[in-house]
Amino acid sequence: METIRMSQNHAAVRLVDASDTLPRNSERWRPIRVPAQVIEAEIERLSRIPAPQNGRRSALIVHPESKEVSGISQGVQIAINVLLPGERTQGFRYNASQVELCIRGRGTVHVENQSMTMEPYDVTMVPSMRHHWYSNDGDTAWVRLSYSNAPLLQRLGVLYVEEGEASSSALSEDPPASAVYTSNSAPDIAVSPDGARLRGYEFLTDIPVVENRALCWPWTSVSATLSSEPGDGKRTIMLLYNPATERRNGTTHSFFATMSRVPPGSPPRRAGRGHRHSSVAINYHFQGSGSSQVDGETIAWEAGDLLLSAPGWSEHAHFVSPEGASVLTIQDHPLHIGMESLIWQERIDGPILTLGSQPGQKGYVGPRLAGA
């Protein structure tokens, strides 16, 4: 039963009878492959257009089921960005965080007083609310994929964007507050033997700072840790870890990025059921080919394809061809750890675990691969 009632400050509010019910999940978006040819055509189009006033030639990859925000999933936005030789963008900052993958050319990410040069398959992260801009230092077009959590902030109505050069006010510190009201001296009162406490408001508004610098993971360093031939004893997947994310195991506080490489000639994965998790997964395949099974649908992919390979809680498994493959995977895993919503089922007939809140999978070095 649904009723509409008037209120003093709004035209109407909805009251929905939820007696004897529990919340229900909304429909999941379907998996979708963005072929390399589509991405390449858009790169060529962006390369031909005149430079925009802000210098950013950019196109968003939008899921066909997206209605409210421009995302490839409900909480992840991916942009194709092209910068020609000698060009630079105007600076800006916003309260979204970014992961950048260079897929062609060479350029530099400038984040306040830091500069990070990127070459193919290098990955960088730009923290929230850092003034940043980009310059092409090479002699060919610089192309990168930029992943951000902007769609989630848009859905919440809190995306903040500030365009233009860095202002002194943005970088200045507040004057020191009275020593009487500090987070260290805030009231701290126990109200239950189980650990419930009361803290003063000054504790709420002055959170301890964990330094979060812009970081770069060069492909030359990352690839040296990944398996290059069967049986070499190296890992096939590694997390690009940012220590500022601490137990959330992230590259940013919203996303983790992993680099995986299955070398040519590796034994094929046996057919069977996949695994699933509440975090969404998006794969960019920059070498090799294979296929993925997502909720019973088989999707073939090849080098240059982008794949929404696991809409949240979709069962999925990946199968690599004999030529091998290299893949960047982005998941909103750290966000879910922070919300205590990261549920994970490694085997479909196994337990559903809340990672970060209860003991997780033991001994795994990759999906279904046990450690020594």
Side-chain angles (χ1 to χ4, degrees), residues 29-47:
W29 290 1
R30 68 179 185 273
I32 188 167
R33 180 179 71 97
V34 184
Q37 297 89 332
V38 171
I39 295 174
E40 288 298 318
E42 187 59 21
I43 291 170
E44 292 303 312
R45 187 193 71 82
L46 290 170
S47 299

Side-chain angles (χ1 to χ4, degrees), residues 307-336:
L307 176 65
L308 173 60
S309 60
W313 207 236
S314 293
E315 181 184 346
H316 58 283
H318 307 300
F319 302 88
V320 177
S321 72
E323 67 176 312
S326 296
V327 185
L328 170 76
T329 300
I330 298 290
Q331 289 190 27
D332 54 358
H333 184 280
L335 173 71
H336 281 283

Side-chain angles (χ1 to χ4, degrees), residues 237-249:
I237 184 169
M238 293 291 279
L239 166 67
L240 308 187
Y241 179 62
N242 174 2
T245 66
E246 300 175 329
R247 64 181 286 277
R248 290 177 297 279
N249 294 341

Side-chain angles (χ1 to χ4, degrees), residues 112-358:
E112 295 182 351
N113 61 349
Q114 294 180 250
S115 295
M116 301 175 293
T117 298
M118 298 185 70
E119 296 184 342
Y121 314 134
D122 291 352
V123 175
T124 60
M125 63 79 62
V126 179
S128 165
M129 291 302 285
R130 300 293 202 280
H131 182 267
H132 61 284
W133 54 282
Y134 304 86
S135 62
N136 184 333
D137 314 311
D139 54 10
T140 61
W142 179 31
V143 183
R144 66 186 196 281
L145 298 180
S146 300
Y147 302 74
S148 88
N149 60 334
L152 176 61
L153 300 178
Q154 289 172 318
R155 283 179 173 271
L156 295 173
V158 295
L159 181 65
Y160 174 84
V161 182
E162 184 181 289
E163 194 165 21
E165 300 309 312
S167 62
S168 58
S169 61
L171 303 176
S172 64
E173 296 183 356
D174 292 333
S178 168
V180 176
Y181 302 109
T182 68
S183 59
N184 291 332
S185 62
D188 185 359
I189 304 167
V191 295
S192 87
D194 297 321
R197 310 189 74 82
L198 297 174
R199 297 302 309 262
Y201 194 74
E202 59 270 40
F203 179 81
L204 179 69
T205 57
D206 188 14
I207 303 168
V209 173
V210 176
E211 184 181 25
N212 189 21
R213 293 174 57 82
L215 298 175
C216 179
W217 290 264
W219 173 239
T220 53
S221 299
V222 173
S223 62
T225 71
L226 297 173
S227 180
S228 57
E229 59 183 36
D232 61 10
K234 295 183 178 181
R235 299 292 179 87
T236 58
I237 184 169
M238 293 291 279
L239 166 67
L240 308 187
Y241 179 62
N242 174 2
T245 66
E246 300 175 329
R247 64 181 286 277
R248 290 177 297 279
N249 294 341
T251 307
T252 73
H253 289 286
S254 286
F255 301 147
F256 80 42
T258 59
M259 280 290 194
S260 60
R261 181 167 62 197
V262 177
S266 296
R269 174 176 176 166
R270 290 176 298 181
R273 300 293 298 272
H275 74 173
R276 58 181 178 172
H277 35 73
S278 54
S279 51
V280 68
I282 304 165
N283 292 349
Y284 179 72
H285 310 92
F286 55 94
Q287 294 171 347
S289 62
S291 65
S292 298
Q293 291 183 357
V294 187
D295 285 338
E297 178 184 357
T298 299
I299 305 170
W301 45 261
E302 58 187 21
D305 287 356
L306 182 75
L307 176 65
L308 173 60
S309 60
W313 207 236
S314 293
E315 181 184 346
H316 58 283
H318 307 300
F319 302 88
V320 177
S321 72
E323 67 176 312
S326 296
V327 185
L328 170 76
T329 300
I330 298 290
Q331 289 190 27
D332 54 358
H333 184 280
L335 173 71
H336 281 283
I337 293 177
M339 296 191 299
E340 205 176 23
S341 58
L342 182 59
I343 52 176
W344 196 284
Q345 191 174 33
E346 189 61 31
R347 288 185 170 87
I348 295 301
D349 59 353
I352 297 173
L353 303 177
T354 308
L355 299 192
S357 300
Q358 64 182 120

